[in-house]
Amino acid sequence: MLRWVRQQLGFDPPHQSDTRTIYIANRFPQHGHYVPQKFADNRIISSKYTVWNFVPKNLFEQFRRVANFYFLIIFLVQLMIDTPTSPITSGLPLFFVITVTAIKQGYEDWLRHKADNEVNGAPVYVVRSGGLVKTRSKNIRVGDIVRVAKDETFPVDLVLLSSDRVDGSCHVTTASLDGETNLKTHVAVPETAVLQSVANLDKLVAVIECQQPEADLYRFVGRITISQQMEEIVRPLGPESLLLRGARLKNTKEIFGVAVYTGMETKMALNYKSKSQKRSAVEKSMNSFLIIYLIILLFEAILSTILKYAWQAEEKWDEPWYNEKTEHERNSSKILRFISDFLAFLVLYNFIIPISLYVTVEMQKFLGSFFIGWDLDLYHEETNQRAQVNTSDLNEELGQVEYVFTDKTGTLTENEMQFRECSINGIKYQEVNGKLTPEGFSEDSPDGNRHSLMKEEELFLKAVCLCHTVQINADQTDGADGPWHANGIASPLEYYASSPDEKALVEAASRVGVVFTGTSGDTMEVKSLGKPERYKLLHVLEFDPNRRRMSVIVESPSGEKLLFTKGAESSILPRSKSGEIDKTRIHVDEFALKGLRTLCVAYRRFTPEEYQEIGKRLREARTALQQREERLADVFNFIERDLELLGATGVEDKLQEKIQETIEALRLAGIKVWVLTGDKHETAVSVSLSCGHFHRTMNILELVQHKSDSTCAEQLRQLAKRIKEDHVIQHGLVVDGTSLSLALREHEKLFMEVCKNCSAVLCCRMAPLQKAKVVRLLKTSPEKPITLAIGDGANDVSMIQEAHVGIGIMGKEGRQAVRNSDYAIARFKFLSKLLFVHGHFYYIRIATLVQYFFYKNVCFITPQFLYQFFCLFSQQTLYDSVYLTLYNICFTSLPVLIYSLFEQHVHPHVLQSKPVLYRDISKNAHLGFKPFLYWTILGFFHAFVFFYGSYLLMGEDTSLLRNGQMFGNWTFGTLVFTVMVITVTMKMALETHFWTWINHFVTWGSIVFYFIFSLFYGGIIWPFLHTQDMYFVFVQLLSSGSAWFAIILIVVACLFLDVVKKVLYRHLQPTSTEKAQMYSNRVALSDEFIALQPLSRARNQLSKISLLRQVQVSTAWTPCAASQMGKQHAHLLEECWND
């Protein structure tokens, strides 16, 4: 029961030690003092609430918002003291906002519960009591032996015990975890691999010791102790033995495994952890505006209270004959009366704080985010991928980006590798028609047309074919002839690889005659010009980012022990003692200058004594439970030394489509682009030049290969001096990882000064955490620029999470970047549409939405404040309580919501073809102090016109009806309210540039609804209302011609100045955006029409963009029908604009 309560409250049971001990099949020791460890059950809980805690937890979260908490206080004040308005006026809007939000969050959580129940209730088979027992996934315990069949997903994290294969191997795909679609091989230890039946497994006596759960998918440290015939055998367990929950079994009939991590302790569940909450600049502005309006509210309440007591200082006003005080009122404390009056005024004016703003913004963001997914321009047909929105809270931030940080491989490039060149024994080779041809030789020359391979070439290609993690489609490895036909020509094998580089190299080797034909157990098969060779795989030294290389130790057919190593030249060349090192280094630099990705290949022969020492060290390091990674790194460094260099490879990663245009558009929009990559200096610079990140005319500054603080600081000072001297020229900066570490250590300010004066920055040889550090450096600089990070791989996740906006590319390096991003797109080129169109629209929409909300609430409450001057500050309300309640909920809510979803103030094609328009909205231009002040002053001005316009008409007891009957205070308030509803709705109509039938329906429908509602509300005696002050008031008001005249006159008076201002500014001082609006109105950029224009201009434009179908000449103006190619030729609009 206690454990259940802890789980409901969200607490995990603390682990007592750094390791866990698991008894397979839960065969615990028989001695009495053993206390089993407590482990989590196998239930997955992704939901946020339970039935018991939904109401209190949701209410607590909602009332953490300042506006909600404020209205709760106002509602409680109305309940406790005598206030001028009913508690319903605050309670009902608050209840509406809280209920809508709770329903939305509750529905989302119900969907999570539903998904959890499906997963937790899935049927599984567990070995118990000597047989297979069918149970539910949630009932699996740590230590249970679980059977999983082909194409099923693993229900827990399992250590592989055996499979239907003799060697105990199986293939899995982890696409749902990291997006990698290649098949990964996992192996069982030899002692359990032979236990292929339930009966044999039931007799297994073994103990697993492993680390406590952690989120890293690729790290697992453990060991298994197997009791056999009175002896204990200890075997190491690593990531190759662990089958992760969520992965799927492939090409294997069935496996058995023991559950080691269950439920919320599985690696998949630990990777669910929520990302830190990002807040947009608009949200921060909104909170600042709320505080300003709260100050205005307090000022009005205090001023009204003071004026009330100043007025009542005169005896005749303190207790007039028609309102005598009670004995209790006369004897009450003056301080308490002052506080009570202050709170009463606070309640009277509280609607100046727009409670429905939050719920409207939330609905706008949630509904608006669907437009990104629906945009066919962001759909990639080849991969059938559309844009994806992971968070809708940052839509408007897409319109505020000042810096873009991008990865190179897979983001700017396709991550489709093609072998181009290689260097073998100091000689450069190219692949020509499936043959390796030395540089300078053609296929027709005697040496260029060889059918055999030299010894060095063959050894190099064998190294490429053996040192990798490539796998072959299982269906192709069957058959006696393997992949070779009788004529000795290879049929193409389908290779799978987690690294595109490895796949390209193995495919290239197969084309020139050395073919990797697959693995069988611990044997790797290679065919060299048709002759099969078998190598026994002894050890794999896995790749890691610190070593930047991987190695295999194999036994050749002759029994020789060989180490084959490949990796970055910086990690291979210093460890090589022989071979053509200098020539290869030159060739590697030449490859890099061509923009090729380079790898060096080397090998080493072991004597029997050396191999015995290596085997012993590897065993000790692999079975260590403490500091295993550090010990393995030491052993790997001991093994990978004294290498003999074989050569190097050059692989091309071609640029993605429209990269140059996209980067140039970002530059025109005032966005600085930084490329952060792990590639070497020369390769990165070459790609930057080819993709347009660096211009050929740009002055390239370098901060590379610095080993000390002093040299780095001196170089930074020289660079800063050069930039000041050549301030006219554009500069580009290249910095490498080691120099960056030095620069950030003690010279951060100087480094930032240099970077900000450069048009483009390229950081090479970057570690993942360095990428995040650079983003954080810019993000926290004094200017606080809005940053965007875009990448496609797991190494980009930290950068994506650090930036204000993180975008994942759906590439070939898995889905980790996509899962951790705010938005995901298929190609880098889609970034321009996402920022220049969607970002622009979202920002304009929400900026107008927020300021319009404050404007209409100033219009709403200011007449209430002015009215107090005419009623001796008696706290008499100007509006009926029903109008107070429904103003923000019904009468004025829909037009602004629809505007914030559909508004397009400039045509999308113009926004995309004119990136400079993006500058008009940068730095939160539409939500700065000036626009906020304008909307606030406009609200006060309109409120004064509403009130005093109505007062001039009715204030002097003018008879507005034919029978001479006077109007009362409720009629006056209703007239002000009617004028206000019409004016604020018409103001929204003036702000709307893009009209749809929905806009027309809600704009004019809101006004019609107000009139119909008022007629029904005031025209019928409602039995459930104990007072009905508004009975027949609205009908009487509308029966007066003078009232109609007043309504029209006041609305026109309010909006006339707005219209004049817009016209004058648009013609005398138009912004770039206003020019674009006039242009898009003049040249209607729909997919079907070019608007009416003078005949000569229409013909000219139609000839330019080849859209002319027919021109009907009738008068000086003509409609010109065009085919649906306008969108495809949007780049030619520039010429039309200039005309």
Coordinates of all heavy atoms in Angstrom, one line a residue, residues 417-422 424 429-437 451-453 456-468 470 472 483-484 488-493 495 500-517 525-531 566 601 648-651:
M417 N 26.6 8.7 -48.8 CA 28.0 8.7 -49.1 C 28.3 7.9 -50.4 O 27.7 6.9 -50.6 CB 28.8 8.0 -47.9 CG 28.5 8.6 -46.6 SD 28.8 10.3 -46.5 CE 28.2 10.7 -44.9
Q418 N 29.2 8.5 -51.2 CA 29.7 7.8 -52.4 C 31.2 7.9 -52.4 O 31.8 8.9 -52.2 CB 29.2 8.6 -53.6 CG 27.7 8.5 -53.8 CD 27.2 9.2 -55.0 OE1 27.8 10.2 -55.5 NE2 26.1 8.8 -55.6
F419 N 31.8 6.7 -52.6 CA 33.2 6.5 -52.6 C 33.8 7.3 -53.8 O 33.3 7.1 -54.9 CB 33.6 5.0 -52.6 CG 35.1 4.8 -52.8 CD1 35.9 4.9 -51.7 CD2 35.6 4.5 -54.0 CE1 37.3 4.7 -51.8 CE2 37.0 4.3 -54.2 CZ 37.8 4.4 -53.1
R420 N 34.8 8.1 -53.6 CA 35.4 8.9 -54.7 C 36.8 8.5 -54.9 O 37.2 8.2 -56.1 CB 35.2 10.4 -54.4 CG 33.8 10.9 -54.5 CD 33.3 10.8 -55.9 NE 31.9 11.3 -56.0 CZ 31.0 10.7 -56.8 NH1 31.2 9.6 -57.5 NH2 29.8 11.2 -56.8
E421 N 37.6 8.6 -53.9 CA 39.1 8.4 -54.0 C 39.6 7.7 -52.8 O 39.0 7.6 -51.8 CB 39.8 9.7 -54.2 CG 39.5 10.5 -55.4 CD 40.3 11.8 -55.5 OE1 41.5 11.7 -55.6 OE2 39.7 12.9 -55.4
C422 N 40.8 7.1 -53.0 CA 41.6 6.6 -51.8 C 43.1 6.7 -52.1 O 43.5 6.9 -53.2 CB 41.2 5.1 -51.6 SG 41.6 4.0 -52.9
I424 N 46.5 4.5 -51.2 CA 47.0 3.2 -50.8 C 48.5 3.2 -51.0 O 49.1 3.4 -52.1 CB 46.4 2.0 -51.6 CG1 44.9 2.1 -51.5 CG2 47.0 0.7 -51.0 CD1 44.2 1.0 -52.4
Y429 N 44.2 6.7 -55.8 CA 43.5 5.9 -56.7 C 42.1 6.5 -56.8 O 41.5 7.1 -55.9 CB 43.3 4.4 -56.2 CG 44.6 3.6 -56.2 CD1 45.5 3.7 -55.1 CD2 44.8 2.7 -57.2 CE1 46.7 3.0 -55.1 CE2 46.0 1.9 -57.2 CZ 46.9 2.1 -56.1 OH 48.0 1.3 -56.1
Q430 N 41.5 6.2 -58.0 CA 40.1 6.5 -58.2 C 39.3 5.3 -58.7 O 40.0 4.4 -59.3 CB 39.9 7.7 -59.3 CG 40.5 9.0 -58.8 CD 40.4 10.0 -59.9 OE1 40.4 9.7 -61.0 NE2 40.2 11.3 -59.5
E431 N 38.0 5.2 -58.5 CA 37.3 4.1 -59.0 C 36.8 4.5 -60.4 O 36.1 5.5 -60.6 CB 36.1 3.8 -58.1 CG 35.3 2.6 -58.6 CD 34.0 2.4 -57.8 OE1 33.8 3.2 -56.8 OE2 33.2 1.5 -58.1
V432 N 37.2 3.7 -61.4 CA 36.7 3.9 -62.8 C 36.1 2.6 -63.3 O 36.8 1.6 -63.4 CB 37.9 4.3 -63.7 CG1 37.4 4.5 -65.1 CG2 38.6 5.6 -63.2
N433 N 34.8 2.6 -63.5 CA 34.1 1.5 -64.1 C 34.3 0.2 -63.2 O 34.6 -0.9 -63.8 CB 34.4 1.2 -65.5 CG 33.9 2.3 -66.4 OD1 33.0 3.0 -66.1 ND2 34.6 2.5 -67.5
G434 N 34.3 0.3 -61.9 CA 34.4 -0.9 -61.1 C 35.8 -1.3 -60.9 O 36.1 -2.5 -60.4
K435 N 36.8 -0.5 -61.2 CA 38.3 -0.9 -61.1 C 39.0 0.3 -60.3 O 38.7 1.4 -60.5 CB 38.9 -1.1 -62.4 CG 38.3 -2.3 -63.2 CD 39.1 -2.5 -64.5 CE 38.5 -3.6 -65.3 NZ 37.1 -3.3 -65.8
L436 N 40.0 -0.1 -59.5 CA 40.8 0.9 -58.9 C 41.9 1.3 -59.9 O 42.7 0.5 -60.3 CB 41.5 0.3 -57.6 CG 40.7 0.4 -56.3 CD1 41.5 -0.1 -55.1 CD2 40.2 1.9 -56.0
T437 N 41.9 2.6 -60.2 CA 42.8 3.1 -61.2 C 43.7 4.2 -60.5 O 43.2 5.1 -60.0 CB 42.1 3.7 -62.4 OG1 41.2 2.8 -62.9 CG2 43.1 4.2 -63.5
H451 N 43.4 -6.7 -64.1 CA 42.3 -7.6 -63.6 C 42.7 -8.2 -62.2 O 42.0 -8.9 -61.6 CB 42.1 -8.8 -64.6 CG 41.5 -8.3 -65.8 ND1 40.2 -7.9 -65.9 CD2 42.0 -8.1 -67.1 CE1 39.9 -7.5 -67.2 NE2 41.0 -7.6 -67.9
S452 N 44.0 -7.9 -61.8 CA 44.4 -8.4 -60.5 C 44.7 -7.2 -59.6 O 44.8 -6.1 -60.0 CB 45.7 -9.3 -60.6 OG 46.7 -8.5 -61.2
L453 N 44.8 -7.5 -58.3 CA 45.1 -6.4 -57.3 C 46.5 -6.6 -56.7 O 47.0 -7.8 -56.5 CB 44.1 -6.4 -56.1 CG 42.7 -6.1 -56.5 CD1 41.8 -6.4 -55.3 CD2 42.6 -4.6 -56.8
E456 N 49.4 -4.7 -51.6 CA 49.0 -3.6 -50.7 C 47.6 -3.2 -51.0 O 46.9 -2.9 -50.0 CB 49.9 -2.3 -51.0 CG 51.4 -2.5 -50.6 CD 52.2 -3.1 -51.8 OE1 51.6 -3.5 -52.8 OE2 53.4 -3.2 -51.7
E457 N 47.2 -3.2 -52.2 CA 45.8 -2.9 -52.5 C 44.8 -3.9 -51.9 O 43.8 -3.5 -51.3 CB 45.6 -2.8 -54.0 CG 46.4 -1.7 -54.7 CD 46.4 -1.8 -56.2 OE1 45.8 -2.8 -56.8 OE2 46.9 -0.9 -56.9
E458 N 45.2 -5.2 -52.1 CA 44.3 -6.2 -51.6 C 44.2 -6.2 -50.0 O 43.1 -6.3 -49.5 CB 44.8 -7.6 -52.0 CG 43.9 -8.7 -51.7 CD 44.3 -10.1 -52.2 OE1 45.4 -10.1 -52.8 OE2 43.6 -11.0 -52.1
L459 N 45.3 -5.9 -49.4 CA 45.3 -5.8 -47.9 C 44.5 -4.6 -47.4 O 43.7 -4.7 -46.5 CB 46.8 -5.7 -47.4 CG 46.9 -5.7 -45.9 CD1 46.4 -7.0 -45.2 CD2 48.4 -5.5 -45.5
F460 N 44.6 -3.5 -48.1 CA 43.8 -2.3 -47.8 C 42.3 -2.6 -48.0 O 41.5 -2.3 -47.1 CB 44.2 -1.2 -48.8 CG 43.4 0.1 -48.6 CD1 43.7 1.0 -47.6 CD2 42.3 0.3 -49.5 CE1 42.9 2.2 -47.5 CE2 41.6 1.5 -49.3 CZ 41.9 2.4 -48.4
L461 N 41.9 -3.2 -49.0 CA 40.5 -3.5 -49.3 C 40.0 -4.6 -48.3 O 38.8 -4.5 -47.9 CB 40.3 -4.0 -50.7 CG 40.5 -2.9 -51.8 CD1 40.5 -3.6 -53.2 CD2 39.5 -1.8 -51.7
K462 N 40.9 -5.5 -47.9 CA 40.4 -6.5 -46.9 C 40.2 -5.8 -45.5 O 39.3 -6.1 -44.8 CB 41.5 -7.6 -46.8 CG 41.4 -8.6 -47.9 CD 42.5 -9.7 -47.7 CE 42.5 -10.7 -48.9 NZ 43.6 -11.7 -48.8
A463 N 41.1 -4.9 -45.2 CA 40.9 -4.1 -44.0 C 39.6 -3.4 -44.0 O 38.9 -3.4 -43.0 CB 42.1 -3.1 -43.8
V464 N 39.2 -2.8 -45.1 CA 38.0 -2.1 -45.3 C 36.8 -3.0 -45.1 O 35.8 -2.7 -44.5 CB 37.9 -1.3 -46.6 CG1 36.5 -0.9 -46.9 CG2 38.8 -0.2 -46.7
C465 N 36.9 -4.3 -45.6 CA 35.9 -5.3 -45.6 C 35.7 -6.0 -44.2 O 34.7 -6.6 -44.0 CB 36.1 -6.3 -46.7 SG 35.6 -5.8 -48.3
L466 N 36.7 -5.9 -43.4 CA 36.7 -6.6 -42.1 C 36.4 -5.6 -40.9 O 35.9 -6.0 -39.9 CB 38.0 -7.3 -41.9 CG 38.2 -8.5 -42.8 CD1 39.7 -9.0 -42.7 CD2 37.2 -9.6 -42.5
C467 N 36.9 -4.4 -41.0 CA 36.8 -3.4 -39.9 C 35.5 -2.6 -40.1 O 35.6 -1.5 -40.6 CB 38.0 -2.6 -39.9 SG 38.1 -1.5 -38.4
H468 N 34.4 -3.1 -39.6 CA 33.1 -2.4 -39.8 C 32.0 -3.1 -39.0 O 32.3 -4.1 -38.3 CB 32.7 -2.3 -41.3 CG 32.5 -3.7 -41.9 ND1 31.5 -4.5 -41.6 CD2 33.3 -4.3 -42.8 CE1 31.6 -5.6 -42.3 NE2 32.7 -5.5 -43.0
V470 N 28.9 -3.5 -40.6 CA 27.9 -3.7 -41.7 C 27.3 -5.1 -41.6 O 28.0 -6.1 -41.3 CB 28.6 -3.5 -43.1 CG1 27.7 -3.8 -44.2 CG2 29.1 -2.1 -43.2
I472 N 24.4 -7.9 -43.7 CA 23.8 -8.2 -45.0 C 22.4 -8.8 -44.8 O 22.1 -9.5 -43.8 CB 24.7 -9.3 -45.7 CG1 26.1 -8.7 -46.0 CG2 24.1 -9.7 -47.0 CD1 27.0 -9.7 -46.6
P483 N 26.7 -14.7 -53.1 CA 26.3 -13.7 -53.9 C 27.0 -13.7 -55.3 O 26.9 -12.8 -56.1 CB 26.8 -12.4 -53.2 CG 28.0 -12.9 -52.5 CD 27.8 -14.3 -52.1
W484 N 27.7 -14.8 -55.6 CA 28.4 -14.8 -56.9 C 27.8 -15.8 -57.9 O 27.3 -16.9 -57.5 CB 29.9 -15.3 -56.7 CG 30.7 -14.2 -56.0 CD1 30.7 -13.9 -54.7 CD2 31.6 -13.4 -56.7 NE1 31.5 -12.8 -54.5 CE2 32.2 -12.5 -55.7 CE3 32.1 -13.3 -58.0 CZ2 33.1 -11.6 -56.0 CZ3 33.0 -12.3 -58.3 CH2 33.5 -11.5 -57.3
G488 N 31.5 -15.6 -62.2 CA 32.4 -14.8 -61.4 C 32.0 -13.4 -61.2 O 32.8 -12.6 -60.5
I489 N 30.9 -12.9 -61.7 CA 30.4 -11.5 -61.5 C 29.5 -11.5 -60.3 O 28.6 -12.3 -60.2 CB 29.7 -11.0 -62.8 CG1 30.7 -11.1 -64.0 CG2 29.2 -9.6 -62.6 CD1 30.0 -10.8 -65.3
A490 N 29.8 -10.5 -59.5 CA 29.0 -10.4 -58.2 C 27.6 -9.8 -58.5 O 27.5 -8.9 -59.2 CB 29.7 -9.5 -57.2
S491 N 26.6 -10.4 -57.9 CA 25.3 -9.8 -57.9 C 25.3 -8.9 -56.7 O 25.9 -9.1 -55.7 CB 24.2 -10.9 -57.7 OG 24.3 -11.5 -56.5
P492 N 24.5 -7.7 -56.8 CA 24.6 -6.7 -55.7 C 24.0 -7.2 -54.4 O 23.0 -7.8 -54.4 CB 23.8 -5.6 -56.3 CG 22.9 -6.2 -57.3 CD 23.6 -7.4 -57.9
L493 N 24.8 -7.1 -53.4 CA 24.4 -7.4 -52.0 C 23.7 -6.2 -51.4 O 24.1 -5.1 -51.6 CB 25.6 -7.9 -51.2 CG 26.1 -9.3 -51.4 CD1 27.5 -9.4 -50.8 CD2 25.2 -10.3 -50.8
Y495 N 23.4 -4.2 -48.3 CA 24.1 -4.0 -47.0 C 23.3 -3.1 -46.1 O 22.6 -2.2 -46.5 CB 25.5 -3.4 -47.2 CG 26.5 -4.3 -47.9 CD1 26.9 -4.0 -49.2 CD2 27.0 -5.4 -47.3 CE1 27.8 -4.8 -49.9 CE2 27.9 -6.2 -47.9 CZ 28.3 -5.9 -49.2 OH 29.2 -6.7 -49.8
P500 N 26.7 5.5 -42.7 CA 26.7 5.6 -44.2 C 28.1 5.5 -44.8 O 28.3 5.0 -45.9 CB 26.0 6.9 -44.5 CG 25.3 7.3 -43.3 CD 26.1 6.7 -42.1
D501 N 29.1 6.0 -44.0 CA 30.5 5.9 -44.5 C 30.9 4.4 -44.7 O 31.5 4.1 -45.7 CB 31.5 6.6 -43.5 CG 31.2 8.0 -43.3 OD1 30.2 8.4 -42.7 OD2 31.9 8.8 -43.8
E502 N 30.6 3.6 -43.6 CA 31.0 2.2 -43.7 C 30.3 1.5 -44.9 O 31.0 0.7 -45.6 CB 30.7 1.5 -42.4 CG 31.6 1.9 -41.2 CD 31.3 1.0 -40.0 OE1 30.2 0.4 -39.9 OE2 32.2 0.9 -39.2
K503 N 29.1 1.8 -45.0 CA 28.3 1.1 -46.1 C 28.9 1.5 -47.5 O 29.1 0.6 -48.3 CB 26.9 1.6 -46.1 CG 26.0 0.9 -47.1 CD 24.5 1.3 -46.9 CE 23.7 0.6 -47.9 NZ 22.7 1.5 -48.6
A504 N 29.3 2.8 -47.7 CA 29.9 3.2 -48.9 C 31.2 2.5 -49.2 O 31.5 2.1 -50.3 CB 30.0 4.7 -48.9
L505 N 32.0 2.4 -48.2 CA 33.3 1.8 -48.3 C 33.2 0.3 -48.6 O 33.9 -0.2 -49.5 CB 34.2 2.0 -47.1 CG 34.6 3.5 -46.8 CD1 35.3 3.6 -45.5 CD2 35.5 3.9 -47.9
V506 N 32.3 -0.4 -47.9 CA 32.2 -1.9 -48.2 C 31.6 -2.1 -49.6 O 32.0 -3.0 -50.3 CB 31.3 -2.5 -47.1 CG1 30.9 -3.9 -47.4 CG2 32.0 -2.4 -45.7
E507 N 30.7 -1.3 -50.0 CA 30.1 -1.4 -51.4 C 31.2 -1.1 -52.4 O 31.3 -1.8 -53.4 CB 28.9 -0.4 -51.5 CG 27.7 -0.9 -50.8 CD 26.6 0.2 -50.9 OE1 26.8 1.3 -51.1 OE2 25.4 -0.2 -50.6
A508 N 32.0 -0.1 -52.2 CA 33.1 0.2 -53.1 C 34.1 -0.9 -53.2 O 34.5 -1.3 -54.3 CB 33.8 1.5 -52.7
A509 N 34.5 -1.5 -52.1 CA 35.4 -2.7 -52.1 C 34.8 -3.9 -52.9 O 35.5 -4.5 -53.6 CB 35.7 -3.1 -50.7
S510 N 33.5 -4.1 -52.7 CA 32.8 -5.2 -53.4 C 32.8 -4.9 -54.9 O 33.0 -5.9 -55.7 CB 31.4 -5.4 -52.9 OG 30.6 -4.3 -53.3
R511 N 32.7 -3.7 -55.4 CA 32.7 -3.4 -56.8 C 34.1 -3.6 -57.4 O 34.2 -3.9 -58.6 CB 32.3 -1.9 -57.0 CG 30.9 -1.6 -56.7 CD 30.4 -0.3 -57.3 NE 31.1 0.8 -56.7 CZ 30.7 1.5 -55.7 NH1 29.6 1.1 -55.0 NH2 31.4 2.5 -55.2
V512 N 35.2 -3.4 -56.6 CA 36.5 -3.6 -57.2 C 37.1 -5.0 -57.0 O 38.3 -5.2 -57.3 CB 37.5 -2.5 -56.7 CG1 37.0 -1.1 -57.2 CG2 37.7 -2.6 -55.2
G513 N 36.3 -5.9 -56.4 CA 36.7 -7.3 -56.3 C 36.9 -7.9 -55.0 O 37.0 -9.1 -54.9
V514 N 36.8 -7.1 -53.9 CA 36.9 -7.7 -52.5 C 35.6 -7.6 -51.9 O 35.2 -6.5 -51.5 CB 38.1 -7.1 -51.7 CG1 38.1 -7.7 -50.3 CG2 39.4 -7.2 -52.4
V515 N 34.9 -8.7 -51.7 CA 33.5 -8.7 -51.3 C 33.3 -9.2 -49.9 O 33.7 -10.4 -49.6 CB 32.6 -9.4 -52.3 CG1 31.1 -9.3 -51.9 CG2 32.8 -9.0 -53.7
F516 N 32.7 -8.5 -49.0 CA 32.3 -9.0 -47.7 C 31.0 -9.7 -47.9 O 30.0 -9.1 -48.3 CB 32.1 -7.8 -46.8 CG 31.5 -8.2 -45.5 CD1 32.1 -9.1 -44.6 CD2 30.2 -7.6 -45.1 CE1 31.4 -9.5 -43.4 CE2 29.6 -8.0 -43.9 CZ 30.2 -8.9 -43.1
T517 N 31.0 -11.0 -47.6 CA 29.8 -11.9 -47.9 C 29.0 -12.2 -46.7 O 28.1 -13.0 -46.7 CB 30.2 -13.2 -48.7 OG1 31.1 -13.9 -47.9 CG2 30.8 -12.8 -50.0
E525 N 33.3 -13.7 -43.6 CA 33.6 -14.3 -44.9 C 33.9 -13.2 -45.9 O 33.1 -12.2 -46.0 CB 32.5 -15.2 -45.4 CG 32.3 -16.4 -44.5 CD 31.2 -17.3 -45.0 OE1 30.7 -17.0 -46.1 OE2 30.8 -18.2 -44.3
V526 N 35.0 -13.3 -46.6 CA 35.4 -12.3 -47.6 C 35.8 -13.1 -48.9 O 36.4 -14.2 -48.8 CB 36.6 -11.5 -47.2 CG1 37.1 -10.6 -48.3 CG2 36.3 -10.7 -45.9
K527 N 35.4 -12.6 -50.1 CA 35.8 -13.1 -51.3 C 36.6 -12.1 -52.1 O 36.2 -11.0 -52.4 CB 34.6 -13.5 -52.2 CG 33.8 -14.8 -51.7 CD 32.8 -15.2 -52.7 CE 32.2 -16.5 -52.2 NZ 31.1 -17.0 -53.1
S528 N 37.9 -12.5 -52.3 CA 38.8 -11.7 -53.0 C 38.9 -12.2 -54.5 O 39.5 -13.2 -54.7 CB 40.2 -11.7 -52.3 OG 41.1 -10.9 -53.0
L529 N 38.3 -11.5 -55.4 CA 38.3 -11.9 -56.8 C 37.7 -13.3 -57.0 O 38.3 -14.1 -57.7 CB 39.7 -11.7 -57.5 CG 40.2 -10.3 -57.6 CD1 41.6 -10.3 -58.1 CD2 39.3 -9.4 -58.4
G530 N 36.7 -13.6 -56.2 CA 36.0 -14.9 -56.3 C 36.6 -15.9 -55.4 O 35.9 -17.0 -55.2
K531 N 37.7 -15.7 -54.8 CA 38.3 -16.7 -53.9 C 37.9 -16.5 -52.5 O 38.2 -15.4 -51.9 CB 39.9 -16.6 -54.0 CG 40.6 -17.6 -53.1 CD 42.1 -17.3 -53.2 CE 42.8 -18.2 -52.2 NZ 44.3 -17.8 -52.1
K566 N 40.4 1.7 -38.3 CA 40.1 2.8 -39.2 C 39.5 3.9 -38.3 O 38.9 3.7 -37.3 CB 39.2 2.4 -40.3 CG 37.7 2.3 -40.0 CD 36.9 2.2 -41.2 CE 35.4 2.2 -40.9 NZ 34.9 1.0 -40.3
V601 N 43.2 4.2 -42.6 CA 43.2 2.7 -42.4 C 44.6 2.2 -42.1 O 45.5 2.6 -42.8 CB 42.6 2.0 -43.6 CG1 42.5 0.5 -43.3 CG2 41.2 2.5 -44.0
A648 N 44.2 5.8 -46.9 CA 43.1 6.6 -46.5 C 42.0 6.6 -47.6 O 42.3 6.2 -48.7 CB 43.6 8.1 -46.3
T649 N 40.8 6.9 -47.2 CA 39.7 6.9 -48.1 C 39.1 8.3 -48.2 O 39.1 9.1 -47.2 CB 38.6 5.9 -47.6 OG1 38.1 6.3 -46.3 CG2 39.1 4.5 -47.6
G650 N 38.5 8.6 -49.3 CA 37.8 9.9 -49.5 C 36.4 9.6 -50.0 O 36.2 9.1 -51.1
V651 N 35.4 10.0 -49.2 CA 34.0 9.7 -49.5 C 33.2 11.0 -49.6 O 33.4 11.9 -48.8 CB 33.3 8.8 -48.4 CG1 31.8 8.6 -48.6 CG2 34.0 7.5 -48.3

